[in-house]
Amino acid sequence: MSDGREGAVTAAPLFAGGNEGSEPRWWQRGVIYQVYPRSFQDSNGDGVGDLPGILRRLEYLKWLGADAVWISPFYPSPMRDFGYDVTDHEAVDKAFGSIVDFDAVVREAHARGIRVILDFIPNHTSNRHPWFLESRLSREAPRRDWYIWRDAAPGGGPPNNWRSAFGGSAWEWDSHTRQYYLHTFLREQPDLNWRNPAVERAMHHVVRFWLDRGADGLRVDAVQKVIKDHLFRDDPPNPAYVEGSDDPYDALLHEHSSDQPEIHDVIERMRAVVDGYGGDRVMIGEIYNEVERIVAYYGRDGRGVHFPYNFQLIKLPWDARVIDAAIRRYESLLPPGAWPNWVLGNHDRARVASRVGPAQARVAAMLLLTLRGTPTLYYGDELGMRNVDIPPERVQDPWEKNLPGRGLGRDPVRTPMQWDGSRNAGFSDVEPWLPLSRDCSRVNVRAQERDPTSMLTLHRALLALRRREPALSMGDWAPVQAEESVLAFTRSHGGTRFLVALNMGPEPASLRVGGPGTVELGTLPGSEGQPVDRTLRLRGDEGVIVRLA
């Protein structure tokens, strides 16, 4: 049959250093589920989620069909940036439990066939980290060069115009040693100097510590920021910046403060540490950049990260033609053998149900879980959780506190997981650290688990189908010509082919199909088992997976 396919992309062997010609790795077949530990499950009645809470909910992750759990930071921290300001990279903050609890999570997750991925934070530490406390003792301190210190500019003021991602200058004056230190994020998060080999050795030790304890991989935070221009040149202005409406950080093009050529050498050496534990560990990079730059992080001959997170579905307008073009371009830019990935939500960006609406969130789930590559699912998105309005007196996020009224705060996407309709939604016996959504009495696991039309049931069905059908997890991908609000593509493996057709608008639409098939799964009730011949008719806000004859 003719289904409008244009240039199928075949699943190629892995990069050099992988397992060419052998079975796909677990992280290629599987689905990653991100847990923000403060908000997943409180086990001790303090209103904050913890590792024992994750342990308690592992059976849910198995039931859902997740293959791996990525746990956001749980390291000792003053919590100025809620765990991303680390004081000890090789321990667990008491708010989250203990190292014994971590070991239990790994052991019990593995017993259920679930891998464990940790956040690794290489760019910075807390300003209370022993390394930084020693660094700021004097200009001659043994660890002075572990951080980035600079004299004031001629005439005074910061050494250059680099900006902090959380507002203001990226430089903080230290009156004791009379120099500035660099902080790409909060002033309480001084940047490490990765041009110092001692820093790199120390951070590699951190990687080995967690891999030795059974972690299956790392999500490397803000990795493109790790190396800066050695001449400390000013960043140029961004001509597209709109004063007063855009994030002030975007007023500059970060040509010198980020994404430097030497970062790829750093990543190669980090990857070598991970590869030393065998081919079953994974290293994922967090890179917010244009897709042309993102794909560079696969590295030379595939010696970079196993995959850099691809955030296009978070950032792009929810428009079928825009997203179709983006998928095609991404696939065309991937280096030979590179493994793609897709993300719909995370702890930093608005929830998908708030971005596109509850109806289209179902379509988005089908898109995420049928595209070629590894999908990452953010906790609560499988329920259709939406952003929660945070009263000013309950705001926790330093980004919102530093730049109030800009809508940059991340608290609305970090609210507690909604487990049931009880008080505090089954998350805690006491008031949680962030407020719950007003709809938590109906948008929760208990209410949706037995509802055949629920968002949770749809996710379980999609995950089960993806696991059951290699065409949807490991198969080839090819775009299908569609018009207006319809996005379509095929997935194929062996003799099995599926057509995925998604109506990304509220009005009915149709797609010409060159031959017969049967709807395997739909986002709306009543479509499964329906025959398809020459024309596939889609209701508004409907997606279907068609098994082609």
Side-chain angles (χ1 to χ4, degrees):
M1 62 175 276
S2 171
D3 52 22
R5 297 195 305 162
E6 308 165 6
V9 175
T10 301
L14 288 175
F15 278 120
N19 57 344
E20 293 189 24
S22 63
E23 288 296 310
R25 297 179 181 180
W26 66 264
W27 48 264
Q28 291 181 294
R29 299 187 309 269
V31 175
I32 299 170
Y33 184 98
Q34 182 192 355
V35 164
Y36 192 70
R38 293 183 67 86
S39 296
F40 199 57
Q41 179 67 63
D42 174 22
S43 72
N44 61 359
D46 63 359
V48 174
D50 45 42
L51 291 176
I54 295 173
L55 183 67
R56 174 182 162 189
R57 296 298 187 177
L58 286 175
E59 199 61 32
Y60 168 76
L61 298 184
K62 179 182 177 181
W63 173 84
L64 179 64
D67 298 277
V69 56
W70 154 30
I71 307 174
S72 294
F74 51 75
Y75 314 113
S77 168
M79 300 296 166
R80 295 305 301 268
D81 192 22
F82 296 103
Y84 285 94
D85 49 325
V86 179
T87 57
D88 185 349
H89 292 86
E90 299 179 2
V92 174
D93 193 286
K94 62 183 180 181
F96 298 119
S98 69
I99 198 72
V100 173
D101 295 317
F102 171 78
D103 291 340
V105 168
V106 171
R107 182 177 64 251
E108 294 303 318
H110 287 172
R112 291 165 173 80
I114 299 171
R115 311 284 182 143
V116 178
I117 299 171
L118 305 186
D119 248 311
F120 175 53
I121 306 164
N123 181 71
H124 50 267
T125 70
S126 166
N127 62 347
R128 300 185 193 176
H129 196 292
W131 296 347
F132 187 71
L133 295 177
E134 182 177 339
S135 179
R136 75 188 309 178
L137 286 174
S138 73
R139 294 194 184 194
E140 292 74 37
R143 285 198 169 95
R144 183 68 172 183
D145 195 39
W146 281 45
Y147 294 83
I148 299 173
W149 295 91
R150 301 288 291 176
D151 290 332
N160 61 27
N161 72 344
W162 295 355
R163 292 196 173 194
S164 162
F166 289 151
S169 172
W171 296 95
E172 182 73 9
W173 177 250
D174 179 57
S175 58
H176 176 60
T177 59
R178 302 193 62 76
Q179 279 189 316
Y180 284 90
Y181 67 83
L182 181 67
H183 59 94
T184 298
F185 297 95
L186 294 175
R187 64 183 178 185
E188 293 88 359
Q189 293 171 291
D191 283 25
L192 286 162
N193 176 19
W194 273 76
R195 294 185 184 273
N196 182 342
V199 170
E200 185 166 348
R201 288 193 297 270
M203 295 304 279
H204 285 179
H205 188 279
V206 173
V207 172
R208 292 187 181 97
F209 177 87
W210 293 106
L211 296 182
D212 285 342
R213 299 198 83 92
D216 297 287
L218 304 171
R219 175 265 192 188
V220 187
D221 180 69
V223 66
Q224 73 187 58
K225 309 288 188 184
V226 163
I227 293 288
K228 288 81 175 174
D229 175 41
H230 72 286
L231 297 176
F232 294 93
R233 289 170 287 187
D234 278 358
D235 280 334
N238 179 0
Y241 177 72
V242 178
E243 185 71 40
S245 60
D246 292 339
D247 182 349
Y249 181 67
D250 295 328
L252 302 176
L253 299 173
H254 308 290
E255 292 183 3
H256 302 300
S257 57
S258 179
D259 195 23
Q260 299 302 291
E262 301 96 320
I263 186 57
H264 300 291
D265 298 320
V266 170
I267 291 173
E268 279 188 20
R269 294 190 291 270
M270 196 184 298
R271 168 72 180 272
V273 174
V274 174
D275 285 349
Y277 286 78
D280 224 21
R281 311 293 176 103
V282 66
M283 180 172 147
I284 306 165
E286 183 205 27
I287 297 106
Y288 280 97
N289 212 322
E290 300 302 316
V291 67
E292 293 83 359
R293 292 300 309 145
I294 290 172
V295 296
Y297 283 79
Y298 285 98
R300 294 163 289 212
D301 299 320
R303 296 195 299 269
V305 295
H306 286 100
F307 56 85
Y309 263 143
N310 167 24
F311 298 114
Q312 292 183 88
L313 296 182
I314 291 179
K315 298 188 296 181
L316 289 173
W318 196 249
D319 176 273
R321 302 281 60 81
V322 171
I323 292 178
D324 181 51
I327 295 168
R328 294 175 190 235
R329 179 156 178 75
Y330 175 63
E331 286 281 5
S332 72
L333 288 171
L334 287 170
W339 188 249
N341 71 96
W342 297 92
V343 181
L344 264 181
N346 63 24
H347 61 293
D348 288 333
R349 302 293 170 132
R351 285 194 177 272
V352 61
S354 289
R355 296 198 311 271
V356 306
Q360 277 295 313
R362 298 174 69 91
V363 176
M366 183 168 281
L367 175 63
L368 175 71
L369 295 170
T370 56
L371 282 169
R372 191 174 81 95
T374 302
T376 296
L377 178 64
Y378 185 50
Y379 84 96
D381 280 354
E382 75 273 24
L383 304 175
M385 283 178 59
R386 290 185 279 184
N387 293 359
V388 177
D389 291 332
I390 309 296
E393 67 275 10
R394 296 290 302 276
V395 168
Q396 305 285 339
D397 187 7
W399 200 358
E400 178 67 19
K401 290 180 178 180
N402 288 351
L403 297 167
R406 297 272 187 155
L408 299 174
R410 299 162 296 177
D411 292 338
V413 309
R414 298 176 174 183
T415 56
M417 179 67 172
Q418 297 165 190
W419 294 105
D420 58 40
S422 66
R423 186 170 179 268
N424 301 323
F427 167 75
S428 178
D429 294 332
V430 302
E431 185 176 26
W433 75 290
L434 282 174
L436 288 152
S437 171
R438 291 191 182 94
D439 66 7
C440 64
S441 62
R442 58 182 179 83
V443 180
N444 63 66
V445 173
R446 182 71 59 81
Q448 292 192 17
E449 62 185 350
R450 294 184 179 89
D451 178 357
T453 66
S454 73
M455 184 71 149
L456 180 58
T457 299
L458 173 63
H459 274 82
R460 283 197 76 209
L462 283 165
L463 287 164
L465 182 61
R466 190 180 188 278
R467 186 186 295 269
R468 190 166 65 245
E469 296 288 350
L472 294 174
S473 59
M474 296 300 303
D476 301 343
W477 167 91
V480 171
Q481 186 63 39
E483 297 178 356
E484 298 180 342
S485 63
V486 177
L487 170 65
F489 52 89
T490 59
R491 301 297 310 279
S492 57
H493 180 82
T496 302
R497 282 197 301 157
F498 289 100
L499 169 69
V500 179
L502 308 168
N503 186 356
M504 300 176 70
E507 300 300 324
S510 61
L511 176 71
R512 287 195 58 79
V513 180
T518 304
V519 175
E520 186 82 12
L521 181 63
T523 61
L524 298 179
S527 59
E528 285 86 351
Q530 293 295 313
V532 174
D533 195 358
R534 295 189 178 279
T535 301
L536 172 63
R537 291 181 172 83
L538 296 166
R539 291 170 283 182
D541 302 318
E542 181 176 36
V544 296
I545 301 172
V546 178
R547 185 184 293 271
L548 298 171

